[in-house]
Structure formats: structure tokens, C-alpha cells
Amino acid sequence: RKEVEQDPGPFNVPEGATVAFNCTYSNSASQSFFWYRQDCRKEPKLLMSVYSSGNEDGRFTAQLNRASQYISLLIRDSKLSDSATYLCVVNNFFGNEKLTFGTGTRLTIIP
Amino acid sequence: GAVVSQHPSRVICKSGTSVKIECRSLDFQATTMFWYRQFPKQSLMLMATSNEGSKATYEQGVEKDKFLINHASLTLSTLTVTSAHPEDSSFYICSVPYRANEQFFGPGTRLTVL
């Protein structure tokens, strides 16, 4: 079983719609969680950290469910510029910067 | 924010040659840098941790004699793919830890071995 699993998609969503991604992780001791965004042939860029209490950044909302070991990302009012691959990322050891990446979920926003 | 550069951005080489990739932290000093590899439609896989002043730490399954890492200074780490073969063709990305739980990634180097 992969440490971090995501539905690879692709998700093809009309502009303005709401889209949600889920991610599961296998290590119950995982400490930190993130969503990164990766555009085609580019490096990943941090979208947002994910906290147990849930957090929101503009149109993006992230949730963490430690009991079920899953993380979600919700994008509201999707824009064409949201088209990218979204990577679920986990840090298993507090203070250790090693990150484990999911394979990513590919999102395409359709005009 | 922190800026990380990589050079070259793209390299095409013949099988059997060695390729050196540089990763530079432009804004701050980094005692640790990470090297990842990403094959098409796959996730980033951590290859090794580059440590300034000491040997690199390699992940399981990564050949240290094939992927030579040198953390020459607090702002520079190099990855050398020795005797590259077509199966080494991949996207190589470095990252630099910036602060707690945040990393900045270099723009990546696309290696194609013919």
C-alpha cells in the first residue's frame, strides 16, 4: 500500500463549479499535512498546510480527519487558472523535513 | 520568499556519460537540501538528503555510487548522475527547507538520456 494515495483523476470540471479531492495516508503517526500544486513540467508549489481544525484560504478549504487518516481539498468557484495537478503531501516525523508525496490528482477546468 | 535555482533546466546526453545538476539556495543558507526524482505521471520520490559538511543520506533503493551528491557550501548542492542510461531519464528536483514544515523547490532539471 502506498503511503499517500490519491485518485489520479483526471477531473474535468466546468469553470465556476466546486470540486473536492481526497487523499488517504497510511502512517497514523504522520504529523504534518499539505496540499501542493504542480503545473505541467514545473516544480511543486505549496498551496496550503492542512490543520486538524480545518483551514480556509480564499476559495480553498482543507480538512484533516486523523481518525480516518484522510485529507481533503475543496475548491470553490473554480477558475481556469486552477487547472493543475494537486499533490497531497505528508510529513511523518515532527521536526524532520522529509516529505512523502501522493501521485497527484489532475484537475482541468473547462471554460 | 526563498528562491531556489537549478542548473541546467534541461539536458540531453548520450548513454554512459555523467551529468551534473546544481541546486542553489539564493536567499539563505541551507545545511540540508533534498533531491527528488519524478517519472511521468508519478509522484515525486525522495532520492537523498544532502547534508552540508557530511555525507548524503540515501533513501532505500537509491544507489549512492550512481547518484553522487556533494553539498559544497551552505548554498550549493550538486547531484551527479554517473554513467547515465535511458532509464535514468526523469525530472530531477531539489528542495530547500525554509522554516518549520515548509520547503521551496527548485524549478527542476529534465534529463533525457539517449
mmCIF file with all atom_site columns, all heavy atoms in Angstrom, chain B residues 31-50:
data_model
loop_
_atom_site.group_PDB
_atom_site.id
_atom_site.type_symbol
_atom_site.label_atom_id
_atom_site.label_alt_id
_atom_site.label_comp_id
_atom_site.label_asym_id
_atom_site.label_entity_id
_atom_site.label_seq_id
_atom_site.pdbx_PDB_ins_code
_atom_site.Cartn_x
_atom_site.Cartn_y
_atom_site.Cartn_z
_atom_site.occupancy
_atom_site.B_iso_or_equiv
_atom_site.pdbx_formal_charge
_atom_site.auth_seq_id
_atom_site.auth_comp_id
_atom_site.auth_asym_id
_atom_site.auth_atom_id
_atom_site.pdbx_PDB_model_num
ATOM 1   N N   . THR B 1 31 ? 21.713 24.036 5.455   1.00 0.00 ? 31 THR B N   1
ATOM 2   C CA  . THR B 1 31 ? 22.570 22.911 5.814   1.00 0.00 ? 31 THR B CA  1
ATOM 3   C C   . THR B 1 31 ? 22.028 21.603 5.243   1.00 0.00 ? 31 THR B C   1
ATOM 4   O O   . THR B 1 31 ? 22.728 20.610 5.162   1.00 0.00 ? 31 THR B O   1
ATOM 5   C CB  . THR B 1 31 ? 22.699 22.782 7.339   1.00 0.00 ? 31 THR B CB  1
ATOM 6   O OG1 . THR B 1 31 ? 21.382 22.673 7.900   1.00 0.00 ? 31 THR B OG1 1
ATOM 7   C CG2 . THR B 1 31 ? 23.388 23.996 7.933   1.00 0.00 ? 31 THR B CG2 1
ATOM 8   N N   . THR B 1 32 ? 20.779 21.628 4.856   1.00 0.00 ? 32 THR B N   1
ATOM 9   C CA  . THR B 1 32 ? 20.137 20.439 4.298   1.00 0.00 ? 32 THR B CA  1
ATOM 10  C C   . THR B 1 32 ? 19.423 20.803 3.010   1.00 0.00 ? 32 THR B C   1
ATOM 11  O O   . THR B 1 32 ? 18.776 21.850 2.927   1.00 0.00 ? 32 THR B O   1
ATOM 12  C CB  . THR B 1 32 ? 19.113 19.852 5.283   1.00 0.00 ? 32 THR B CB  1
ATOM 13  O OG1 . THR B 1 32 ? 19.779 19.497 6.498   1.00 0.00 ? 32 THR B OG1 1
ATOM 14  C CG2 . THR B 1 32 ? 18.438 18.626 4.697   1.00 0.00 ? 32 THR B CG2 1
ATOM 15  N N   . MET B 1 33 ? 19.566 19.963 2.024   1.00 0.00 ? 33 MET B N   1
ATOM 16  C CA  . MET B 1 33 ? 18.785 20.074 0.800   1.00 0.00 ? 33 MET B CA  1
ATOM 17  C C   . MET B 1 33 ? 18.314 18.681 0.438   1.00 0.00 ? 33 MET B C   1
ATOM 18  O O   . MET B 1 33 ? 18.940 17.688 0.821   1.00 0.00 ? 33 MET B O   1
ATOM 19  C CB  . MET B 1 33 ? 19.624 20.659 -0.347  1.00 0.00 ? 33 MET B CB  1
ATOM 20  C CG  . MET B 1 33 ? 20.080 22.096 -0.123  1.00 0.00 ? 33 MET B CG  1
ATOM 21  S SD  . MET B 1 33 ? 20.956 22.715 -1.578  1.00 0.00 ? 33 MET B SD  1
ATOM 22  C CE  . MET B 1 33 ? 21.403 24.355 -1.027  1.00 0.00 ? 33 MET B CE  1
ATOM 23  N N   . PHE B 1 34 ? 17.230 18.595 -0.307  1.00 0.00 ? 34 PHE B N   1
ATOM 24  C CA  . PHE B 1 34 ? 16.681 17.308 -0.706  1.00 0.00 ? 34 PHE B CA  1
ATOM 25  C C   . PHE B 1 34 ? 16.703 17.171 -2.219  1.00 0.00 ? 34 PHE B C   1
ATOM 26  O O   . PHE B 1 34 ? 16.484 18.134 -2.951  1.00 0.00 ? 34 PHE B O   1
ATOM 27  C CB  . PHE B 1 34 ? 15.234 17.160 -0.214  1.00 0.00 ? 34 PHE B CB  1
ATOM 28  C CG  . PHE B 1 34 ? 15.095 17.178 1.283   1.00 0.00 ? 34 PHE B CG  1
ATOM 29  C CD1 . PHE B 1 34 ? 14.706 18.328 1.939   1.00 0.00 ? 34 PHE B CD1 1
ATOM 30  C CD2 . PHE B 1 34 ? 15.358 16.048 2.026   1.00 0.00 ? 34 PHE B CD2 1
ATOM 31  C CE1 . PHE B 1 34 ? 14.579 18.351 3.323   1.00 0.00 ? 34 PHE B CE1 1
ATOM 32  C CE2 . PHE B 1 34 ? 15.244 16.060 3.407   1.00 0.00 ? 34 PHE B CE2 1
ATOM 33  C CZ  . PHE B 1 34 ? 14.850 17.213 4.059   1.00 0.00 ? 34 PHE B CZ  1
ATOM 34  N N   . TRP B 1 35 ? 16.929 15.956 -2.672  1.00 0.00 ? 35 TRP B N   1
ATOM 35  C CA  . TRP B 1 35 ? 16.873 15.653 -4.103  1.00 0.00 ? 35 TRP B CA  1
ATOM 36  C C   . TRP B 1 35 ? 15.755 14.651 -4.358  1.00 0.00 ? 35 TRP B C   1
ATOM 37  O O   . TRP B 1 35 ? 15.674 13.606 -3.703  1.00 0.00 ? 35 TRP B O   1
ATOM 38  C CB  . TRP B 1 35 ? 18.196 15.073 -4.590  1.00 0.00 ? 35 TRP B CB  1
ATOM 39  C CG  . TRP B 1 35 ? 19.271 16.105 -4.718  1.00 0.00 ? 35 TRP B CG  1
ATOM 40  C CD1 . TRP B 1 35 ? 20.259 16.377 -3.818  1.00 0.00 ? 35 TRP B CD1 1
ATOM 41  C CD2 . TRP B 1 35 ? 19.456 17.014 -5.810  1.00 0.00 ? 35 TRP B CD2 1
ATOM 42  N NE1 . TRP B 1 35 ? 21.047 17.411 -4.288  1.00 0.00 ? 35 TRP B NE1 1
ATOM 43  C CE2 . TRP B 1 35 ? 20.575 17.808 -5.512  1.00 0.00 ? 35 TRP B CE2 1
ATOM 44  C CE3 . TRP B 1 35 ? 18.790 17.221 -7.025  1.00 0.00 ? 35 TRP B CE3 1
ATOM 45  C CZ2 . TRP B 1 35 ? 21.048 18.798 -6.370  1.00 0.00 ? 35 TRP B CZ2 1
ATOM 46  C CZ3 . TRP B 1 35 ? 19.259 18.208 -7.869  1.00 0.00 ? 35 TRP B CZ3 1
ATOM 47  C CH2 . TRP B 1 35 ? 20.370 18.987 -7.543  1.00 0.00 ? 35 TRP B CH2 1
ATOM 48  N N   . TYR B 1 36 ? 14.890 15.012 -5.313  1.00 0.00 ? 36 TYR B N   1
ATOM 49  C CA  . TYR B 1 36 ? 13.768 14.163 -5.690  1.00 0.00 ? 36 TYR B CA  1
ATOM 50  C C   . TYR B 1 36 ? 13.891 13.796 -7.164  1.00 0.00 ? 36 TYR B C   1
ATOM 51  O O   . TYR B 1 36 ? 14.541 14.482 -7.952  1.00 0.00 ? 36 TYR B O   1
ATOM 52  C CB  . TYR B 1 36 ? 12.429 14.910 -5.507  1.00 0.00 ? 36 TYR B CB  1
ATOM 53  C CG  . TYR B 1 36 ? 12.070 15.270 -4.096  1.00 0.00 ? 36 TYR B CG  1
ATOM 54  C CD1 . TYR B 1 36 ? 12.556 16.431 -3.502  1.00 0.00 ? 36 TYR B CD1 1
ATOM 55  C CD2 . TYR B 1 36 ? 11.208 14.473 -3.346  1.00 0.00 ? 36 TYR B CD2 1
ATOM 56  C CE1 . TYR B 1 36 ? 12.199 16.780 -2.204  1.00 0.00 ? 36 TYR B CE1 1
ATOM 57  C CE2 . TYR B 1 36 ? 10.842 14.816 -2.058  1.00 0.00 ? 36 TYR B CE2 1
ATOM 58  C CZ  . TYR B 1 36 ? 11.353 15.972 -1.492  1.00 0.00 ? 36 TYR B CZ  1
ATOM 59  O OH  . TYR B 1 36 ? 10.994 16.316 -0.218  1.00 0.00 ? 36 TYR B OH  1
ATOM 60  N N   . ARG B 1 37 ? 13.164 12.756 -7.506  1.00 0.00 ? 37 ARG B N   1
ATOM 61  C CA  . ARG B 1 37 ? 13.070 12.353 -8.907  1.00 0.00 ? 37 ARG B CA  1
ATOM 62  C C   . ARG B 1 37 ? 11.591 12.108 -9.189  1.00 0.00 ? 37 ARG B C   1
ATOM 63  O O   . ARG B 1 37 ? 10.869 11.565 -8.343  1.00 0.00 ? 37 ARG B O   1
ATOM 64  C CB  . ARG B 1 37 ? 13.883 11.073 -9.130  1.00 0.00 ? 37 ARG B CB  1
ATOM 65  C CG  . ARG B 1 37 ? 13.843 10.525 -10.529 1.00 0.00 ? 37 ARG B CG  1
ATOM 66  C CD  . ARG B 1 37 ? 14.883 9.448  -10.726 1.00 0.00 ? 37 ARG B CD  1
ATOM 67  N NE  . ARG B 1 37 ? 14.781 8.379  -9.757  1.00 0.00 ? 37 ARG B NE  1
ATOM 68  C CZ  . ARG B 1 37 ? 15.596 7.337  -9.734  1.00 0.00 ? 37 ARG B CZ  1
ATOM 69  N NH1 . ARG B 1 37 ? 16.582 7.240  -10.606 1.00 0.00 ? 37 ARG B NH1 1
ATOM 70  N NH2 . ARG B 1 37 ? 15.445 6.394  -8.829  1.00 0.00 ? 37 ARG B NH2 1
ATOM 71  N N   . GLN B 1 38 ? 11.160 12.503 -10.367 1.00 0.00 ? 38 GLN B N   1
ATOM 72  C CA  . GLN B 1 38 ? 9.758  12.310 -10.740 1.00 0.00 ? 38 GLN B CA  1
ATOM 73  C C   . GLN B 1 38 ? 9.690  11.767 -12.155 1.00 0.00 ? 38 GLN B C   1
ATOM 74  O O   . GLN B 1 38 ? 10.083 12.443 -13.115 1.00 0.00 ? 38 GLN B O   1
ATOM 75  C CB  . GLN B 1 38 ? 8.974  13.629 -10.639 1.00 0.00 ? 38 GLN B CB  1
ATOM 76  C CG  . GLN B 1 38 ? 7.487  13.474 -10.906 1.00 0.00 ? 38 GLN B CG  1
ATOM 77  C CD  . GLN B 1 38 ? 6.721  14.772 -10.739 1.00 0.00 ? 38 GLN B CD  1
ATOM 78  O OE1 . GLN B 1 38 ? 7.240  15.854 -11.009 1.00 0.00 ? 38 GLN B OE1 1
ATOM 79  N NE2 . GLN B 1 38 ? 5.478  14.682 -10.274 1.00 0.00 ? 38 GLN B NE2 1
ATOM 80  N N   . PHE B 1 39 ? 9.156  10.549 -12.285 1.00 0.00 ? 39 PHE B N   1
ATOM 81  C CA  . PHE B 1 39 ? 8.910  9.966  -13.597 1.00 0.00 ? 39 PHE B CA  1
ATOM 82  C C   . PHE B 1 39 ? 7.526  10.411 -14.060 1.00 0.00 ? 39 PHE B C   1
ATOM 83  O O   . PHE B 1 39 ? 6.679  10.794 -13.250 1.00 0.00 ? 39 PHE B O   1
ATOM 84  C CB  . PHE B 1 39 ? 9.012  8.446  -13.530 1.00 0.00 ? 39 PHE B CB  1
ATOM 85  C CG  . PHE B 1 39 ? 10.410 7.952  -13.260 1.00 0.00 ? 39 PHE B CG  1
ATOM 86  C CD1 . PHE B 1 39 ? 10.764 7.423  -12.033 1.00 0.00 ? 39 PHE B CD1 1
ATOM 87  C CD2 . PHE B 1 39 ? 11.383 8.029  -14.239 1.00 0.00 ? 39 PHE B CD2 1
ATOM 88  C CE1 . PHE B 1 39 ? 12.052 6.985  -11.777 1.00 0.00 ? 39 PHE B CE1 1
ATOM 89  C CE2 . PHE B 1 39 ? 12.681 7.592  -14.005 1.00 0.00 ? 39 PHE B CE2 1
ATOM 90  C CZ  . PHE B 1 39 ? 13.014 7.071  -12.758 1.00 0.00 ? 39 PHE B CZ  1
ATOM 91  N N   . PRO B 1 40 ? 7.284  10.356 -15.376 1.00 0.00 ? 40 PRO B N   1
ATOM 92  C CA  . PRO B 1 40 ? 5.999  10.828 -15.903 1.00 0.00 ? 40 PRO B CA  1
ATOM 93  C C   . PRO B 1 40 ? 4.808  10.185 -15.209 1.00 0.00 ? 40 PRO B C   1
ATOM 94  O O   . PRO B 1 40 ? 4.772  8.974  -14.988 1.00 0.00 ? 40 PRO B O   1
ATOM 95  C CB  . PRO B 1 40 ? 6.068  10.432 -17.379 1.00 0.00 ? 40 PRO B CB  1
ATOM 96  C CG  . PRO B 1 40 ? 7.525  10.434 -17.691 1.00 0.00 ? 40 PRO B CG  1
ATOM 97  C CD  . PRO B 1 40 ? 8.196  9.923  -16.452 1.00 0.00 ? 40 PRO B CD  1
ATOM 98  N N   . LYS B 1 41 ? 3.867  11.022 -14.818 1.00 0.00 ? 41 LYS B N   1
ATOM 99  C CA  . LYS B 1 41 ? 2.613  10.611 -14.188 1.00 0.00 ? 41 LYS B CA  1
ATOM 100 C C   . LYS B 1 41 ? 2.835  9.874  -12.869 1.00 0.00 ? 41 LYS B C   1
ATOM 101 O O   . LYS B 1 41 ? 1.973  9.096  -12.449 1.00 0.00 ? 41 LYS B O   1
ATOM 102 C CB  . LYS B 1 41 ? 1.793  9.753  -15.156 1.00 0.00 ? 41 LYS B CB  1
ATOM 103 C CG  . LYS B 1 41 ? 1.390  10.511 -16.419 1.00 0.00 ? 41 LYS B CG  1
ATOM 104 C CD  . LYS B 1 41 ? 0.427  9.727  -17.261 1.00 0.00 ? 41 LYS B CD  1
ATOM 105 C CE  . LYS B 1 41 ? 0.029  10.549 -18.487 1.00 0.00 ? 41 LYS B CE  1
ATOM 106 N NZ  . LYS B 1 41 ? -0.968 9.865  -19.327 1.00 0.00 ? 41 LYS B NZ  1
ATOM 107 N N   . GLN B 1 42 ? 3.960  10.103 -12.256 1.00 0.00 ? 42 GLN B N   1
ATOM 108 C CA  . GLN B 1 42 ? 4.223  9.515  -10.947 1.00 0.00 ? 42 GLN B CA  1
ATOM 109 C C   . GLN B 1 42 ? 4.521  10.614 -9.929  1.00 0.00 ? 42 GLN B C   1
ATOM 110 O O   . GLN B 1 42 ? 4.699  11.768 -10.285 1.00 0.00 ? 42 GLN B O   1
ATOM 111 C CB  . GLN B 1 42 ? 5.389  8.524  -11.030 1.00 0.00 ? 42 GLN B CB  1
ATOM 112 C CG  . GLN B 1 42 ? 5.095  7.302  -11.885 1.00 0.00 ? 42 GLN B CG  1
ATOM 113 C CD  . GLN B 1 42 ? 6.177  6.257  -11.805 1.00 0.00 ? 42 GLN B CD  1
ATOM 114 O OE1 . GLN B 1 42 ? 6.925  6.189  -10.820 1.00 0.00 ? 42 GLN B OE1 1
ATOM 115 N NE2 . GLN B 1 42 ? 6.281  5.444  -12.829 1.00 0.00 ? 42 GLN B NE2 1
ATOM 116 N N   . SER B 1 43 ? 4.547  10.216 -8.680  1.00 0.00 ? 43 SER B N   1
ATOM 117 C CA  . SER B 1 43 ? 4.801  11.193 -7.633  1.00 0.00 ? 43 SER B CA  1
ATOM 118 C C   . SER B 1 43 ? 6.285  11.497 -7.509  1.00 0.00 ? 43 SER B C   1
ATOM 119 O O   . SER B 1 43 ? 7.121  10.769 -8.033  1.00 0.00 ? 43 SER B O   1
ATOM 120 C CB  . SER B 1 43 ? 4.262  10.682 -6.303  1.00 0.00 ? 43 SER B CB  1
ATOM 121 O OG  . SER B 1 43 ? 4.945  9.494  -5.934  1.00 0.00 ? 43 SER B OG  1
ATOM 122 N N   . LEU B 1 44 ? 6.580  12.574 -6.827  1.00 0.00 ? 44 LEU B N   1
ATOM 123 C CA  . LEU B 1 44 ? 7.968  12.866 -6.511  1.00 0.00 ? 44 LEU B CA  1
ATOM 124 C C   . LEU B 1 44 ? 8.472  11.826 -5.510  1.00 0.00 ? 44 LEU B C   1
ATOM 125 O O   . LEU B 1 44 ? 7.800  11.530 -4.521  1.00 0.00 ? 44 LEU B O   1
ATOM 126 C CB  . LEU B 1 44 ? 8.114  14.246 -5.868  1.00 0.00 ? 44 LEU B CB  1
ATOM 127 C CG  . LEU B 1 44 ? 8.217  15.440 -6.792  1.00 0.00 ? 44 LEU B CG  1
ATOM 128 C CD1 . LEU B 1 44 ? 6.867  15.787 -7.376  1.00 0.00 ? 44 LEU B CD1 1
ATOM 129 C CD2 . LEU B 1 44 ? 8.776  16.638 -6.051  1.00 0.00 ? 44 LEU B CD2 1
ATOM 130 N N   . MET B 1 45 ? 9.635  11.289 -5.797  1.00 0.00 ? 45 MET B N   1
ATOM 131 C CA  . MET B 1 45 ? 10.228 10.313 -4.893  1.00 0.00 ? 45 MET B CA  1
ATOM 132 C C   . MET B 1 45 ? 11.531 10.877 -4.342  1.00 0.00 ? 45 MET B C   1
ATOM 133 O O   . MET B 1 45 ? 12.401 11.279 -5.097  1.00 0.00 ? 45 MET B O   1
ATOM 134 C CB  . MET B 1 45 ? 10.498 8.998  -5.628  1.00 0.00 ? 45 MET B CB  1
ATOM 135 C CG  . MET B 1 45 ? 9.248  8.294  -6.109  1.00 0.00 ? 45 MET B CG  1
ATOM 136 S SD  . MET B 1 45 ? 8.138  7.807  -4.769  1.00 0.00 ? 45 MET B SD  1
ATOM 137 C CE  . MET B 1 45 ? 9.153  6.599  -3.949  1.00 0.00 ? 45 MET B CE  1
ATOM 138 N N   . LEU B 1 46 ? 11.632 10.913 -3.025  1.00 0.00 ? 46 LEU B N   1
ATOM 139 C CA  . LEU B 1 46 ? 12.847 11.413 -2.407  1.00 0.00 ? 46 LEU B CA  1
ATOM 140 C C   . LEU B 1 46 ? 13.987 10.441 -2.697  1.00 0.00 ? 46 LEU B C   1
ATOM 141 O O   . LEU B 1 46 ? 13.870 9.238  -2.451  1.00 0.00 ? 46 LEU B O   1
ATOM 142 C CB  . LEU B 1 46 ? 12.647 11.558 -0.901  1.00 0.00 ? 46 LEU B CB  1
ATOM 143 C CG  . LEU B 1 46 ? 13.850 12.067 -0.114  1.00 0.00 ? 46 LEU B CG  1
ATOM 144 C CD1 . LEU B 1 46 ? 14.194 13.498 -0.514  1.00 0.00 ? 46 LEU B CD1 1
ATOM 145 C CD2 . LEU B 1 46 ? 13.577 11.994 1.390   1.00 0.00 ? 46 LEU B CD2 1
ATOM 146 N N   . MET B 1 47 ? 15.080 10.980 -3.230  1.00 0.00 ? 47 MET B N   1
ATOM 147 C CA  . MET B 1 47 ? 16.244 10.162 -3.514  1.00 0.00 ? 47 MET B CA  1
ATOM 148 C C   . MET B 1 47 ? 17.239 10.198 -2.355  1.00 0.00 ? 47 MET B C   1
ATOM 149 O O   . MET B 1 47 ? 17.759 9.170  -1.930  1.00 0.00 ? 47 MET B O   1
ATOM 150 C CB  . MET B 1 47 ? 16.953 10.666 -4.773  1.00 0.00 ? 47 MET B CB  1
ATOM 151 C CG  . MET B 1 47 ? 16.129 10.617 -6.028  1.00 0.00 ? 47 MET B CG  1
ATOM 152 S SD  . MET B 1 47 ? 17.009 11.354 -7.408  1.00 0.00 ? 47 MET B SD  1
ATOM 153 C CE  . MET B 1 47 ? 18.365 10.196 -7.599  1.00 0.00 ? 47 MET B CE  1
ATOM 154 N N   . ALA B 1 48 ? 17.507 11.412 -1.892  1.00 0.00 ? 48 ALA B N   1
ATOM 155 C CA  . ALA B 1 48 ? 18.553 11.555 -0.877  1.00 0.00 ? 48 ALA B CA  1
ATOM 156 C C   . ALA B 1 48 ? 18.453 12.906 -0.197  1.00 0.00 ? 48 ALA B C   1
ATOM 157 O O   . ALA B 1 48 ? 17.857 13.849 -0.725  1.00 0.00 ? 48 ALA B O   1
ATOM 158 C CB  . ALA B 1 48 ? 19.922 11.400 -1.521  1.00 0.00 ? 48 ALA B CB  1
ATOM 159 N N   . THR B 1 49 ? 19.053 12.953 0.972   1.00 0.00 ? 49 THR B N   1
ATOM 160 C CA  . THR B 1 49 ? 19.171 14.193 1.725   1.00 0.00 ? 49 THR B CA  1
ATOM 161 C C   . THR B 1 49 ? 20.626 14.631 1.670   1.00 0.00 ? 49 THR B C   1
ATOM 162 O O   . THR B 1 49 ? 21.529 13.862 2.041   1.00 0.00 ? 49 THR B O   1
ATOM 163 C CB  . THR B 1 49 ? 18.752 13.982 3.192   1.00 0.00 ? 49 THR B CB  1
ATOM 164 O OG1 . THR B 1 49 ? 17.409 13.483 3.212   1.00 0.00 ? 49 THR B OG1 1
ATOM 165 C CG2 . THR B 1 49 ? 18.822 15.287 3.963   1.00 0.00 ? 49 THR B CG2 1
ATOM 166 N N   . SER B 1 50 ? 20.834 15.836 1.189   1.00 0.00 ? 50 SER B N   1
ATOM 167 C CA  . SER B 1 50 ? 22.180 16.382 1.070   1.00 0.00 ? 50 SER B CA  1
ATOM 168 C C   . SER B 1 50 ? 22.508 17.167 2.339   1.00 0.00 ? 50 SER B C   1
ATOM 169 O O   . SER B 1 50 ? 21.745 18.038 2.736   1.00 0.00 ? 50 SER B O   1
ATOM 170 C CB  . SER B 1 50 ? 22.218 17.305 -0.159  1.00 0.00 ? 50 SER B CB  1
ATOM 171 O OG  . SER B 1 50 ? 23.462 17.948 -0.276  1.00 0.00 ? 50 SER B OG  1
#
